[in-house]
Amino acid sequence: DADVTQTPRNRITKTGKRIMLECSQTKGHDRMYWYRQDPGLGLRLIYYSFDVKDINKGEISDGYSVSRQAQAKFSLSLESAIPNQTALYFCATSDRSSGNYGYTFGSGTRLTVV
Amino acid sequence: GENVGLHLPTLSVQEGDNSIINCAYSNSASDYFIWYKQESGKGPQFIIDIRSNMDKRQGQRVTVLLNKTVKHLSLQIAATQPGDSAVYFCAEESGANSKLTFGKGITLSVRP
């Protein structure tokens, strides 16, 4: 099983619909992140969480919300999806206490808003 | 998978040659740097990292060089193989409670 699992892998939704992307991890990491990737733009941070119930905005949080109810789970919601939210979404985890500062990424969720 | 490398700068190298991928970072306070590799349809994968108290670090077939004076980071891949074809991202961080900031990426294409 993957260390960081994202569901669904692909999703097509209509404008105005609410959608939730799920992320779960088995690494025991305390920190989790949601990134968005658009062609030619790299990875942009949406929200991040350093611990359960800790929520922080990233550089592009408008139109998104998150929930961290358990250490292993971090969900991203689009309350009312719009076409410019069509992108590849990645969840990532990290663990400062281990001394390894690198992020572990999931395989991504491709979201299309029509 | 989606071509995340579309519109990115591309480096084309011959199989067997050495590759050098460059990255300019913006924050002079950044003290930790990582190189990631992203293959089509997959999430970014950690390659190698370096802290600001070092100027060179070597891994298996990869070397990262850091020049803090000009805020420049490079990734050297020895004997480039077809499996090295991917998009490569540099990332920087400043401080234990900050987050990684990613560059836009460079596409490496290996010619057989």
Side-chain angles (χ1 to χ4, degrees):
Chain A
D1 289 341
D3 293 326
V4 181
T5 302
Q6 290 183 234
T7 56
R9 285 300 309 274
N10 294 281
R11 180 72 182 267
I12 299 174
T13 191
K14 293 183 178 181
T15 298
K17 292 291 186 182
R18 183 180 188 274
I19 183 170
M20 180 181 288
L21 309 184
E22 306 272 9
C23 177
S24 63
Q25 52 125 339
T26 57
K27 296 185 74 70
H29 287 176
D30 52 354
R31 301 184 177 198
M32 298 187 74
Y33 312 82
W34 274 105
Y35 282 88
R36 163 180 177 155
Q37 187 174 43
D38 298 276
L41 290 182
L43 291 156
R44 294 183 291 168
L45 182 63
I46 306 172
Y47 271 97
Y48 62 101
S49 168
F50 282 177
D51 203 348
V52 175
K53 300 295 178 69
D54 175 67
I55 301 295
N56 305 280
K57 291 184 177 180
E59 60 182 297
I60 54 164
S61 59
D62 288 349
Y64 302 94
S65 63
V66 290
S67 175
R68 183 94 184 272
Q69 297 295 326
Q71 188 192 43
K73 297 184 183 296
F74 192 36
S75 60
L76 175 72
S77 294
L78 286 68
E79 297 302 326
S80 180
I82 55 177
N84 76 1
Q85 290 178 312
T86 293
L88 199 50
Y89 290 85
F90 286 102
C91 175
T93 71
S94 71
D95 178 17
R96 292 292 142 142
S97 62
S98 68
N100 177 6
Y101 286 17
Y103 288 15
T104 300
F105 284 85
S107 297
T109 294
R110 184 184 307 178
L111 177 66
T112 303
V113 184
V114 297
Chain B
E2 180 172 347
N3 184 1
V4 297
L6 194 63
H7 306 310
L8 291 176
T10 299
L11 174 66
S12 180
V13 299
Q14 189 73 38
E15 181 179 356
D17 287 352
N18 296 334
S19 302
I20 300 176
I21 303 172
N22 296 306
C23 175
Y25 63 94
S26 56
N27 187 355
S28 57
S30 291
D31 56 7
Y32 179 62
F33 305 88
I34 308 178
W35 278 102
Y36 283 89
K37 172 186 180 183
Q38 186 177 21
E39 297 173 283
S40 182
K42 297 182 179 179
Q45 294 176 289
F46 174 94
I47 301 174
I48 191 168
D49 60 358
I50 188 168
R51 300 196 180 284
S52 59
N53 61 351
M54 304 172 68
D55 54 21
K56 180 179 180 179
R57 189 163 188 227
Q58 287 185 291
Q60 187 175 15
R61 264 198 327 116
V62 294
T63 301
V64 55
L65 299 177
L66 175 63
N67 185 331
K68 295 182 289 295
T69 302
V70 296
K71 293 188 285 188
H72 184 268
L73 192 69
S74 69
L75 176 70
Q76 299 178 359
I77 304 173
T80 311
Q81 303 168 0
D84 295 326
S85 293
V87 176
Y88 289 80
F89 295 95
C90 64
E92 60 181 297
E93 183 183 271
S94 58
N97 287 323
S98 64
K99 292 76 55 194
L100 286 177
T101 299
F102 289 83
K104 289 184 170 48
I106 296 171
T107 300
L108 177 65
S109 176
V110 181
R111 304 188 303 272

